[in-house]
Amino acid sequence: MGTKTLVISAMLFSFYLNAQTKFESLADREEIMELLQKYKVPAMGLGIIENGKLIAVNAYGEIKKDVTAPYNTIFDVASLTKSVVTMTTLQLVENGDWNLDKPLYSYWVDPDIINDSLHKKLTTRHVLTHTSGFNNWRWMDATGKLQFHFEPGKKFKYSGEGFEYLRKALESKFKISLQRLSDSLLFRPLGMKDSRHAWDENVDESRFAIGHDTLKNSYKLPKEKKPNGADNVLTTIEDFGIFGINVFEKLNTTKGAYQEMVKPQVMVREKIAMGLGWFIFPDLPNDEYALYNAGGDSGVHTVVVLLPKSQKGVIIFTNGDNGYLLYKELLPKLLEVGAEIINRI
């Protein structure tokens, strides 16, 4: 483990192997707890990937009042869902069951845009690169209906609606839910036993990190029952670490769709591009580039950074509205290129 990577303090990220064969950091918990207190964030999950291996899984703080966060705390990861849906979709592409550039109207058309001829141009590539032409959510439009703001493919515009459109197209073609697709193609094959797109009887609520506002007041537990293509995946640090390692493995062993994933498809702004389902930070120090995604909902802030060349990664989940302040402070201390990434956001 490089000392340059983990520099929060001399003791902060020493590691040992426990009886369950999981690494847990012997972190200076006082220092971590001080950061949680500073930003009024009740709990944080942290995962570290080094050399393509998950070497640290830990949780700090409380998932709710007076309940200590276990290492396998379940978090809602908000928009990190989009990276999960991307990997599920790309597996279908690799299997020959889906085409990135086939118009989605072949499978499904949203009633709001059926009379707009632009719907015949919309493809999966447009959705995954956030060039669909849709607003983030249809309720942001004055009409409350889905509409194109430009021709698909013309420019970047972040859109959860695009990923929901893709979900509906996938479910229409395969006649099964997004949950079953992800189960069969991603969660079960990888052993992501605590991951799912929505609440069901298998969620261990006793391990769930309830969201909190900026003053650490808890929000009502939402318990979304239906999968959303853009939001609400429930998972643990360990599961998402396994997911991150799988991204590395696909890039190392597979050509085709996964190589398209890490090619800059459209510029978001200076020094940030969009690949398929991932923000790309090119031209980082040490000849590195990063895959990045972040999520934020009420009481939720999460981030994942993967460095494909050096096979390093950091995953941070929080259950507080101020969680983004926490990870903005931590990333520069956890990754050599972390400060550069934060400066570009």
Side-chain angles (χ1 to χ4, degrees):
M1 185 185 312
T3 56
K4 292 181 180 179
T5 304
L6 307 177
V7 294
I8 294 181
S9 71
M11 292 180 60
L12 186 52
F13 285 99
S14 302
F15 301 103
Y16 74 94
L17 185 63
N18 68 20
Q20 295 180 314
T21 70
K22 295 184 176 66
F23 281 97
E24 181 182 4
S25 61
L26 287 173
D28 182 347
R29 284 186 172 270
E30 289 187 4
E31 187 168 352
I32 292 291
M33 295 306 292
E34 285 175 5
L35 289 175
L36 291 175
Q37 184 174 6
K38 175 182 177 180
Y39 293 115
K40 294 183 171 60
V41 176
M44 180 188 81
L46 175 65
I48 303 289
I49 298 172
E50 287 275 347
N51 298 317
K53 298 182 184 299
L54 185 62
I55 64 167
V57 174
N58 212 342
Y60 305 85
E62 296 182 342
I63 56 176
K64 59 183 177 181
K65 186 173 176 57
D66 299 327
V67 179
T68 300
Y71 86 90
N72 57 351
T73 293
I74 298 170
F75 289 87
D76 180 327
V77 297
S79 284
L80 299 197
T81 299
K82 296 179 179 70
S83 292
V84 172
V85 171
T86 295
M87 294 299 287
T88 295
T89 303
L90 294 184
Q91 187 61 59
L92 288 168
V93 174
E94 284 294 298
N95 292 348
D97 297 322
W98 196 257
N99 188 314
L100 283 171
D101 298 306
K102 184 174 182 177
L104 291 174
Y105 82 89
S106 302
Y107 311 114
W108 187 80
V109 181
D110 190 289
D112 286 356
I113 58 171
I114 196 167
N115 294 321
D116 188 330
S117 62
L118 289 179
H119 82 264
K120 292 191 174 181
K121 296 186 176 184
L122 181 65
T123 68
T124 299
R125 188 184 299 272
H126 296 142
V127 169
L128 298 184
T129 56
H130 291 283
T131 60
S132 64
F134 300 141
N135 260 339
N136 191 12
W137 297 110
R138 68 185 69 201
W139 56 261
M140 293 177 172
D141 286 295
T143 62
K145 294 184 177 181
L146 189 68
Q147 59 181 294
F148 288 103
H149 290 264
F150 53 84
E151 181 180 333
K154 291 299 184 181
K155 61 182 179 179
F156 175 87
K157 186 179 181 64
Y158 190 84
S159 178
E161 286 288 354
F163 276 77
E164 267 288 81
Y165 204 106
L166 176 59
R167 172 185 68 83
K168 293 169 184 175
L170 289 167
E171 291 180 339
S172 178
K173 173 177 171 56
F174 295 105
K175 309 303 180 187
I176 58 174
S177 70
L178 178 61
Q179 179 65 49
R180 288 182 60 190
L181 276 173
S182 291
D183 277 342
S184 63
L185 296 167
L186 198 68
F187 297 154
R188 290 179 184 170
L190 295 182
M192 296 171 65
K193 59 186 182 299
D194 279 320
S195 299
R196 49 191 45 83
H197 282 280
W199 279 81
D200 60 29
E201 67 279 3
N202 296 311
V203 179
D204 183 354
E205 189 174 334
S206 70
R207 291 190 281 126
F208 182 75
I210 294 175
H212 293 73
D213 65 19
T214 57
L215 299 177
K216 295 178 71 173
N217 299 308
S218 62
Y219 286 109
K220 182 180 178 181
L221 191 58
K223 290 192 177 182
E224 299 292 342
K225 301 293 186 180
K226 294 182 179 180
N228 185 306
D231 204 5
N232 301 330
V233 155
L234 306 177
T235 190
T236 64
I237 287 290
E238 183 175 21
D239 274 13
F240 214 82
I242 293 169
F243 172 80
I245 291 168
N246 181 249
V247 172
F248 289 153
E249 290 174 348
K250 292 296 187 182
L251 292 176
N252 287 338
T253 62
T254 309
K255 296 181 179 180
Y258 295 103
Q259 298 305 315
E260 286 291 300
M261 180 178 73
V262 297
K263 290 180 181 178
Q265 307 272 333
V266 62
M267 292 305 298
V268 177
R269 56 176 177 270
E270 186 179 4
K271 296 184 177 182
I272 302 178
M274 192 73 214
L276 300 180
W278 294 89
F279 291 92
I280 299 174
F281 288 67
D283 303 321
L284 291 172
N286 303 321
D287 192 34
E288 187 62 87
Y289 75 97
L291 301 180
Y292 174 97
N293 199 359
D297 283 329
S298 295
V300 174
H301 275 286
T302 58
V303 68
V304 55
V305 180
L306 301 176
L307 306 180
K309 289 189 176 181
S310 58
Q311 301 278 285
K312 296 179 181 179
V314 171
I315 303 157
I316 298 174
F317 298 163
T318 72
N319 67 336
D321 280 343
N322 287 336
Y324 70 99
L325 298 171
L326 183 67
Y327 72 66
K328 282 187 175 182
E329 182 163 337
L330 282 175
L331 281 178
K333 299 176 181 180
L334 293 166
L335 289 172
E336 293 174 351
V337 297
E340 176 66 19
I341 289 171
I342 293 300
N343 288 337
R344 294 188 191 184
I345 295 174

